[in-house]
Amino acid sequence: MPMNEIRVVAFDADDTLWDCQSHFEQVEEHLYQLIAPYCENPKQELFQTESGNMADLGYGCKAFTISIIETALRVGGAHLTAVQLSELLAHSKSLLHLPATPLPGVVDTLRELRAEREDLRMVCFTKGELQDQENKLRRSGLLPFFDDVEITSDKGQKEFLALCEHQQVHPSQLLMVGNSLKSDCAPALAIGAWAIHIPFHVTWQLEHFEAFDHERMFSVERFSDIRKYLL
């Protein structure tokens, strides 16, 4: 990898810097238990709702909460009590206060990069709801490691090109680090940037993407493994 060309390293946040999806899956399981008696495939019912809401609501905890309650009402309807719906709503809203505890190796690796690669700009580049993502980043304690933070409603080629423009680099000078092949790796590679994929043990339904190889993408098992490409 011609690391002398890289000028900006962008890091995804959720499920790359801290655990997020496993908390969402706990709420999903709560929903599934409520609506299972009234449908054949609870998971597919939620997927249908989220897919339909994506264009209007985008990503994030608030959009997820709306989809959860909407699915419960659509499928469970009058069978669910006010107490059950209230508990489901409270569980969903609790996601706004995720601890955002950094995953193993994240703090030490970012600290080393900050100390040893002064030539690199480090950016947190993530999609989701602005206030929620800002709050998680502050709670994580990782904010001081980054030169910039960009939070977008989506992460496609357009957003990656805008990131390059904002950071004043050519796409070939950008390296994206993240857990999602769909949102982190594929669009970065499509514009000519580099990518490091760090798989997470759970994946959101709407982020499922067929595995692929690419000459400008590297896969590692742990966050700390990115050091061999950057240090």
Side-chain angles (χ1 to χ4, degrees):
M1 184 175 182
M3 292 307 301
N4 59 317
E5 294 183 9
I6 301 299
R7 295 291 176 265
V8 173
V9 182
F11 295 88
D12 174 53
D14 294 333
D15 301 322
T16 297
L17 299 178
W18 53 71
D19 180 5
C20 180
Q21 185 57 31
S22 64
H23 296 279
F24 277 65
E25 289 198 346
Q26 292 174 17
V27 178
E28 291 176 359
E29 287 299 326
H30 187 163
L31 169 69
Y32 299 157
Q33 290 176 16
L34 290 179
I35 66 174
Y38 315 112
C39 64
E40 293 184 359
N41 190 334
K43 188 172 185 178
Q44 182 60 35
E45 295 292 344
L46 177 59
F47 180 77
Q48 176 184 325
T49 305
E50 288 188 299
S51 298
N53 284 339
M54 188 58 60
D56 291 328
L57 302 180
Y59 301 88
C61 177
K62 296 174 185 177
F64 177 75
T65 297
I66 291 174
S67 291
I68 285 283
I69 299 301
E70 181 180 334
T71 304
L73 291 171
R74 176 172 58 80
V75 178
H79 298 287
L80 301 180
T81 67
V83 171
Q84 288 175 312
L85 291 171
S86 178
E87 291 174 345
L88 181 61
L89 176 60
H91 196 179
S92 300
K93 289 179 66 176
S94 71
L95 297 173
L96 290 169
H97 303 284
L98 294 183
T101 303
L103 291 168
V106 167
V107 172
D108 289 342
T109 301
L110 292 179
R111 183 181 293 119
E112 287 184 49
L113 289 174
R114 184 83 287 170
E116 299 186 29
R117 290 298 305 272
E118 296 182 358
D119 58 313
L120 291 179
R121 284 182 59 79
M122 291 169 54
V123 178
C124 180
F125 180 52
T126 187
K127 67 182 179 184
E129 197 274 324
L130 179 62
Q131 184 174 358
D132 185 28
Q133 293 299 83
E134 287 179 337
N135 288 341
K136 281 188 286 189
L137 190 55
R138 280 192 288 268
R139 290 198 298 272
S140 74
L142 300 176
L143 190 57
F145 291 116
F146 297 110
D147 298 297
D148 201 357
V149 175
E150 295 206 20
I151 300 170
T152 68
S153 59
D154 201 359
K155 279 166 72 176
Q157 294 182 43
K158 179 181 69 174
E159 288 77 18
F160 272 92
L161 287 171
L163 173 65
C164 291
E165 181 178 351
H166 299 160
Q167 301 300 323
Q168 299 183 324
V169 294
H170 186 273
S172 64
Q173 297 173 308
L174 170 70
L175 169 66
M176 181 68 206
V177 178
N179 70 292
S180 174
L181 288 172
K182 180 179 179 180
S183 297
D184 297 320
C185 301
L189 296 169
I191 68 165
W194 299 79
I196 293 180
H197 180 224
I198 312 174
F200 196 58
H201 67 278
V202 290
T203 303
W204 183 34
Q205 290 186 86
L206 293 181
E207 286 293 326
H208 286 172
F209 201 78
E210 185 175 350
F212 66 93
D213 295 320
H214 195 285
E215 62 182 359
R216 283 184 277 106
M217 182 177 73
F218 304 88
S219 294
V220 298
E221 294 184 2
R222 297 171 295 274
F223 191 91
S224 58
D225 292 339
I226 68 175
R227 290 180 293 189
K228 64 184 177 182
Y229 297 105
L230 293 168
L231 294 175

